[in-house]
Amino acid sequence: MNTVFPWREAPEFETGSGFAVIGDPVSHSKSPMMHHAAYRAFGLPYAYHAIHVPVGEVDYALDHLRSVGYKGINVTVPHKEHAWQWSRFPDEVSSRVKAANTLRLHDGAAINTDAPGFMDTLDDLGMPPGRALLLGAGGSARAIALAMFQGGWHLALYNRTESRAHELRDQLGIDISITSTADPLDCDLIVNMTSASLQNSQLPILWSNASPDVVAVDLMYSTEPTPFLLRASGLGLRTSDGLALLAAQGARSFEWWTGLYGARPIMAEALKNAHR
Ligand code: NDP
């Protein structure tokens, strides 16, 4: 668990060497540990804090953090949409998905590193574009569906509340087929972008239609495999949890702020050690 600062009590920086993650809650975030590992490896005199920002106070908090010397902010649940609204210069991806997870405070620029970070993890798995079944239609799903579509994937989307899946397609304006059954027939990849595992719930996936080569990816991570990954690995499928995305999105934020490349393996290693 992190030391968490309420935003009004955030430590101050004179030299713009401060970074932070904001969220509500934020005590569980692995970002401070991951970014500190990169600062150590690159010899950077930076600090990265976990800062609690309640819903409704994002604008005030970001303006305050800028005034006390913070250079960059990561944004986690539930503030990504608000962070995008605060931004003055959002990039194309964050504008299309209406969510930003990485901010540069001095000029109000914003990017979304969940989307390209997820594509990094598919590269690691050695997966060229193919057919994917996506589960979920929340904020992360918007970013990942857009990135995969732009990366040449053929996408089918299942969501518990089907109307939200239609909203996602309309909002992004991409070619994605909405399905009322979670059927992985002919798919190369299944991505769980729901928070069902948080409630320990199983998703209604027609696992018997999955080919033995399909890869199952869950955005969630925890010390124990999620119910989704347990089921997939029980069927002998290749699986990957959300730690890979956590490191990939964090490294892309770090690169954007510092101009330095190569943080991803350092962050991934730090996460792996913390999970041992
Ligand atoms: P949202 O709250 O925006 O969306 C939640 C989604 O989960 C909705 O599609 C919702 O369906 C679905 N859902 C929730 N409970 C159930 C259930 N019991 N059964 C079926 N579907 C359910 O969340 P996010 O998109 O922000 O995040 C989704 C997941 O991804 C979270 O677990 C989060 O921790 C993880 N994540 C991990 C990251 C990483 O770095 N590894 C980065 C970002 C997210 P409905 O519309 O019907 O309510």
Side-chain angles (χ1 to χ4, degrees):
M1 288 286 170
N2 297 297
T3 303
V4 175
F5 298 95
W7 65 265
R8 289 183 181 81
E9 294 164 31
E12 301 192 5
F13 295 90
E14 283 177 5
T15 52
S17 56
F19 294 84
V21 55
I22 63 166
D24 183 16
V26 73
S27 59
H28 64 285
S29 171
K30 310 244 181 261
S31 292
M33 182 267 286
M34 234 169 47
H35 283 268
H36 278 134
Y39 300 160
R40 275 194 302 278
F42 284 87
L44 297 170
Y46 296 159
Y48 189 112
H49 296 303
I51 295 180
H52 179 235
V53 176
V55 172
E57 298 179 18
V58 172
D59 292 1
Y60 307 113
L62 290 173
D63 291 344
H64 174 74
L65 294 172
R66 178 171 50 203
S67 74
V68 296
Y70 283 77
K71 181 171 176 159
I73 298 291
N74 278 136
V75 183
T76 187
V77 179
H79 297 323
K80 290 182 190 181
E81 188 166 341
H82 221 108
W84 168 75
Q85 284 166 353
W86 173 89
S87 157
R88 275 184 290 148
F89 302 108
D91 74 339
E92 193 233 329
V93 175
S94 59
S95 293
R96 282 188 73 181
V97 303
K98 296 189 175 13
N101 73 333
T102 307
L103 307 174
R104 196 167 58 205
L105 293 188
H106 78 269
D107 60 356
I111 60 172
N112 183 312
T113 66
D114 289 333
F118 185 76
M119 300 310 282
D120 293 339
T121 68
L122 292 186
D123 284 347
D124 288 348
L125 289 167
M127 299 214 63
R131 291 187 177 278
L133 172 64
L134 306 183
L135 311 166
S140 316
R142 289 204 300 271
I144 288 170
L146 177 64
M148 290 184 76
F149 176 76
Q150 290 177 334
W153 284 80
H154 293 277
L155 303 174
L157 176 67
Y158 165 84
N159 191 50
R160 180 178 61 177
T161 312
E162 197 172 322
S163 58
R164 289 192 75 201
H166 287 281
E167 278 167 28
L168 179 149
R169 181 174 62 186
D170 294 346
Q171 184 189 333
L172 295 179
I174 61 175
D175 185 10
I176 179 168
S177 75
I178 309 299
T179 127
S180 50
T181 46
D183 188 348
L185 187 71
D186 294 332
C187 284
D188 308 294
L189 178 70
I190 311 174
V191 190
N192 180 16
M193 310 182 291
T194 75
S195 37
S197 302
L198 281 177
Q199 301 132 37
N200 230 14
S201 320
Q202 281 288 356
L203 292 156
I205 299 165
L206 299 179
W207 286 109
S208 55
N209 284 345
S211 101
D213 301 326
V214 77
V215 177
V217 174
D218 200 330
L219 295 199
M220 249 197 76
Y221 52 87
S222 64
T223 41
E224 300 301 321
T226 63
F228 168 80
L229 292 183
L230 264 183
R231 188 72 203 275
S233 57
L235 293 167
L237 307 180
R238 193 147 70 103
T239 62
S240 172
D241 71 11
L243 281 180
L245 171 59
L246 190 62
Q249 59 79 29
R252 281 187 174 260
S253 299
F254 175 91
E255 286 163 6
W256 189 61
W257 288 322
T258 65
L260 298 169
Y261 289 80
R264 187 145 70 101
I266 298 158
M267 290 181 164
E269 188 63 22
L271 287 173
K272 209 160 57 174
N273 291 338
H275 262 244
R276 275 199 184 119

